[in-house]
Structure formats: structure tokens, C-alpha cells
Amino acid sequence: MKPKAQKSTCTVLQVGPMPLYLEVPLHQEFNVHRLPDGGRQEFLATKAEHVNIAFTTSTVGVDGRLMRALPNLQAVINFGVGVDKTDVQTANELGILVSNTPDVLTDCVADVAVGLLIDVARGISAADRFIRRGDWAQGAYPLGMRVSGKRVGILGLGRIGLAIAGRLEGFGAHIAYHGRNRVVDVTYPWYDSLAELAQNSDFLIVAVSSSPATTGIVSREVLDALGPRGYLINISRGAVVDEDALVEALVQKRIAGAGLDVFAHEPHVPKELATLENVVLTPHLGSGTTETRQDMAELSLENLRKFVIDGTLITPFG
Ligand code: 8YV
């Protein structure tokens, strides 16, 4: 076990850009080096051995190669709940602790999932464009699909999935879910097949963590099971969905529509999606409120402070 980092010798490596409300206090409190985009070898040659902690975001992460280049790295602090950009397996092999920011963002992400679902089913964003184009003078807006009382399938009934389910119970929705295992103390029906869940859902909501095991699991087959009256909502990660298959299914109306906050290659969004009225697009804003991002920043910093003091984390991942 490596000796615990002490604040006096603690050096933090900032990996990737971060918002000022996080970066300013981080640099005020700690001895921080930014990992440069260029000249990394030269930087690491002189700084690597001094780095005890890496501080990153869900958008960037710390890969295994960088971990192995930092011989005294003891912890990775992640701003965000998703750690799919950090090589957690290598961190575990090297005895490097990883923290993330669960719970503080659950409500805001769940709110966006419900918002996207209502928007795409009732065509709210599309109706706004309808009025702005002056089309109302030509006739009534097309009918949408009722949300209340519908069947909602949730892929991944974790913290965020459960929060979404709780919200939609208020709409009289019939909730079911798929995940590797049944969730303890939950009465919603569990499907051991994602395709079967999709087949029995009007809305399929993707709330599962992104990992090698979940990459592309919302496949063409699952989308076809969801079918021409089904809607897909994704507030997880674009990688969980076969994005080419999704675009094709939407263009060919093999599914009714989609509400998407995340994409496979952000900030790039398939251009076909921007032409479709049965799609609602948002730029990965799930946790993007002033309150929640401040809470995420504080939790990240609290993890760092605690690790420096006693070598443990408040919200360790895994
Ligand atoms: C990002 C997210 O953290 O928490 C996550 O996993 O997807 C977002 O809240 C945010 O965009 C900062 O990287």
C-alpha cells in the first residue's frame, strides 16, 4: 500500500478543461499542474513522479496509459457520475482509488429524462418551431401521443433510473426495467431480455452506466422491438446505443421518435437527426443546472480534501 499523500507534498494533476467554478477553488487550495495538450512527454519527464492525485471530468477521464506514466498516482477524482472515460480496471490493478459524484445530480438528470419524454411524445419543441414558422395559420398542429398511463421500460434501474421511475409513477405510467440483475426491494417487473422489455414498452429510457458491457446494447434488434409506436429516451451515454441503427430507425420511422441528451461522438450529432421533427435534441445538459454543477464541484473537492487528509474518499466508485 502506497503511503498516504500529505497536503504538504500533494501535487494534483488537472486532466482536461473544467468549469471555472471548479477550477478556481481547486487551484486556490492545491498545488495543481495542468496536463498539457502538447509536449506531454517533456512535461511528464519532470513532473510525473510528483503527482499523487489526478483530477478530471466525466468528459475527459484518465486512461491507463497516463496512469502508468504516473508512478506515485494514488487517486483519480472525477467531476461527474460517469467514469466511462477513466480506465477503472487499470486503476484497480494499480491500487489507485477513483471517486465520482453520484446522488447530487440524480434529480436534474431524471428531470431531463421526463422532460425529453413529454416533449417528444407531445411534440412540444416541434410545436414551438411550428408557430415560429407561421404554420399555425395553415391549420392545426398534428396530434401527439398521450404520456399518462403508458408503459415505460427503463434500461438500468440505478439511482437515476429509480428517480425517473418515481417521477413517472406520478403520470400513472406502468414501469418495468431491464438490467443484469433484479433490483432488491423493487416491485417493478424485471425483464431479463432488453428486446423483450422494448417490445412491451411505449417509451424505452436509457439510464444504464456506460461500460464495455453496455456499449451498443440498444441495438437494431432492440429498436425494432420498440417498434413504430415506441420512443427512445437517452440520458446515459451515446455509446450505449447503436447510433447508426438509431438514425436509420428514426429516418425510416421504424420507431416513433427519440429524446436524446447524449451522443456517440459529442459534440458532433448525426446531421440527419437535426432534420427530423420526431426527435428532440439537447447538448448533454442532464446535470447542467447552476445548483447541481455547484454541488458536483463541491463533492469533487470534498473527495480531494478527504483523500489528502486521510487517504480515503467520500464517494469512491465501485
Ligand atoms: C458530466 C455527466 O459530468 O456526470 C456525468 O456523468 O454526464 C455530466 O454530468 C458533465 O457534463 C461534466 O463533465
Side-chain angles (χ1 to χ4, degrees), residues 31-91:
N31 172 32
V32 181
H33 295 298
R34 284 185 178 82
L35 181 66
D37 291 332
R40 283 194 176 186
Q41 291 311 319
E42 295 77 7
F43 171 85
L44 291 171
T46 58
K47 304 290 188 196
E49 65 175 324
H50 304 298
V51 173
N52 311 108
I53 301 167
F55 203 113
T56 189
T57 67
S58 297
T59 311
V60 177
V62 178
D63 62 26
R65 183 178 176 188
L66 179 55
M67 288 178 191
R68 296 187 189 282
L70 300 168
N72 295 312
L73 183 64
Q74 299 171 343
V76 173
I77 308 295
N78 188 77
F79 171 77
V81 69
V83 290
D84 46 299
K85 293 288 178 61
T86 287
D87 187 338
V88 176
Q89 181 176 340
T90 297

Side-chain angles (χ1 to χ4, degrees), residues 15-230:
V15 181
M18 43 191 67
L20 288 179
Y21 52 80
L22 175 56
E23 190 171 77
V24 168
L26 175 66
H27 286 247
Q28 283 174 341
E29 287 188 49
F30 297 94
N31 172 32
V32 181
H33 295 298
R34 284 185 178 82
L35 181 66
D37 291 332
R40 283 194 176 186
Q41 291 311 319
E42 295 77 7
F43 171 85
L44 291 171
T46 58
K47 304 290 188 196
E49 65 175 324
H50 304 298
V51 173
N52 311 108
I53 301 167
F55 203 113
T56 189
T57 67
S58 297
T59 311
V60 177
V62 178
D63 62 26
R65 183 178 176 188
L66 179 55
M67 288 178 191
R68 296 187 189 282
L70 300 168
N72 295 312
L73 183 64
Q74 299 171 343
V76 173
I77 308 295
N78 188 77
F79 171 77
V81 69
V83 290
D84 46 299
K85 293 288 178 61
T86 287
D87 187 338
V88 176
Q89 181 176 340
T90 297
N92 292 339
E93 289 168 6
L94 298 176
I96 297 168
L97 302 180
V98 178
S99 74
N100 64 343
T101 59
D103 297 322
V104 293
L105 50 64
T106 298
D107 284 334
C108 278
V109 176
D111 291 349
V112 168
V114 174
L116 286 170
L117 185 150
I118 296 171
D119 190 331
V120 74
R122 299 301 306 275
I124 295 174
S125 298
D128 178 272
R129 293 190 296 274
F130 176 84
I131 288 182
R132 293 173 193 266
R133 287 192 306 265
D135 290 356
W136 201 2
Q138 277 69 49
Y141 188 67
L143 299 180
M145 183 169 106
R146 179 189 297 164
V147 169
S148 292
K150 283 297 191 308
R151 301 169 302 168
V152 175
I154 298 178
L155 168 55
L157 201 67
R159 295 176 174 94
I160 294 173
L162 277 169
I164 294 168
R167 282 158 173 74
L168 290 173
E169 281 193 44
F171 288 78
H174 302 281
I175 310 288
Y177 72 101
H178 168 73
R180 277 177 304 193
N181 306 300
R182 292 175 192 275
V183 176
V184 175
D185 298 334
V186 159
T187 57
Y188 305 132
W190 171 71
Y191 283 79
D192 64 357
S193 155
L194 177 54
E196 195 178 337
L197 173 68
Q199 195 166 13
N200 290 279
S201 299
D202 300 305
F203 299 95
L204 179 63
I205 301 177
V206 183
V208 70
S209 301
S210 181
S211 69
T214 62
T215 300
I217 63 170
V218 180
S219 61
R220 180 186 307 277
E221 176 208 7
V222 170
L223 293 168
D224 283 340
L226 183 59
R229 288 186 50 79

